[in-house]
Amino acid sequence: MSKENSQNIIARIKAIVEEKFKSEGSGHDWFHIARVMRTAEAIGEVEGADMTLVRLGALLHDIADHKFHNHSLEEGSKQARALILEVGGDIILANEVAAIVAQVSYKGAGVATPTDSLAAAVVQDADRLDAIGAIGIARAFAYGGSKNRLLYDPAIKPQMHSNFKDYATDQGHTINHFHEKLLLLKDRMLTGEGSRLAEERHMFMEIFLNQFLEEWEG
Ligand code: ADP
Ligand code: NI
């Protein structure tokens, strides 16, 4: 594929995704996608990934959130494949991007989420970096609030989910989400640059949680 052609495809996908997410207030906003795209570009450059795949994967990674599709993980890659074809990409590119989209999601503490391309590893790391650190903390409580969840309840302990369905349907409070997902992400980064970027964000969450519990206990 020529450089102009791939730039054209990226521009058209970006326009479609921006339009869709700007008019959707359902937890994922365009700013999340834009941050993941920027982080994925930074990691992808360092790691030497295929940047067309990185950009398209980042733009399309949340195109159909499982939370709004009966926890189906296939819907996103299906829609990603269709959109790439719609804007003039070939079936090889469409399948490569669809594979990335299928491989990004976190599925529970006890569920492995392997990738089969460097671009997919880069996008998975970038998405997870946006779930940790200061922004990750803000997103977790925003999400918890949207579901009417408690901030914290010391009686309800975290669970290390061993399958995706249990993870996706868990109703626990938001502090548990740190133990069930956010604090685990640092050690599950797939790229060297992703691990490096995770360190500071991880430390910030630990400081936050210590302070939170100190204030809670009074
Ligand atoms: P992503 O967009 O990173 O793929 P999700 O769609 O799973 O992640 O969730 C969107 C945001 O909401 C993330 O920051 C995630 O950590 C947070 N989130 C997901 N599930 C919960 C939960 N049960 N409690 C609190 N925050 C959550
Ligand atoms: Ni995301």
Side-chain angles (χ1 to χ4, degrees), residues 28 32 61-62 127:
H28 285 102
H32 165 65
H61 84 275
D62 274 334
D127 188 40

Side-chain angles (χ1 to χ4, degrees), residues 72-144:
S72 155
L73 290 163
E74 279 125 54
E75 185 61 25
S77 50
K78 222 172 90 186
Q79 288 190 25
R81 184 184 291 107
L83 285 172
I84 298 288
L85 294 173
E86 193 183 306
V87 302
D90 61 27
I91 187 69
I92 294 172
L93 180 68
N95 283 335
E96 283 173 335
V97 175
I100 295 174
V101 172
Q103 291 168 14
V104 173
S105 275
Y106 185 79
K107 302 182 179 73
V111 187
T113 45
T115 51
D116 63 10
S117 68
L118 177 56
V122 168
V123 176
Q124 188 186 101
D125 280 4
D127 188 40
R128 292 175 179 194
L129 283 163
D130 207 55
I132 65 177
I135 288 183
I137 294 168
R139 292 180 74 210
F141 287 102
Y143 179 93

Side-chain angles (χ1 to χ4, degrees), residues 129-207:
L129 283 163
D130 207 55
I132 65 177
I135 288 183
I137 294 168
R139 292 180 74 210
F141 287 102
Y143 179 93
S146 78
K147 300 276 176 192
N148 281 322
R149 305 240 173 115
L150 286 175
L151 300 179
Y152 180 45
D153 180 346
I156 301 173
K157 302 297 176 199
Q159 298 190 34
M160 297 300 117
H161 302 105
S162 60
N163 66 75
F164 175 64
K165 197 92 194 173
D166 289 352
Y167 166 73
T169 54
D170 189 278
Q171 298 291 316
H173 57 83
T174 301
I175 290 294
N176 270 352
H177 187 64
F178 286 80
H179 299 284
E180 293 166 352
K181 175 184 177 189
L182 309 185
L183 292 170
L184 308 177
L185 295 180
K186 172 177 76 75
D187 292 331
R188 293 172 68 144
M189 289 286 143
L190 297 172
T191 68
E193 185 61 5
S195 303
R196 195 183 71 76
L197 293 172
E199 287 295 331
E200 191 185 10
R201 297 181 191 213
H202 181 86
M203 248 174 354
F204 188 78
M205 288 194 298
E206 290 196 320
I207 293 168

Side-chain angles (χ1 to χ4, degrees), residues 51-65:
M51 295 307 288
T52 298
L53 290 179
V54 165
R55 293 191 176 101
L56 291 172
L59 285 168
L60 289 166
H61 84 275
D62 274 334
I63 194 70
D65 194 315

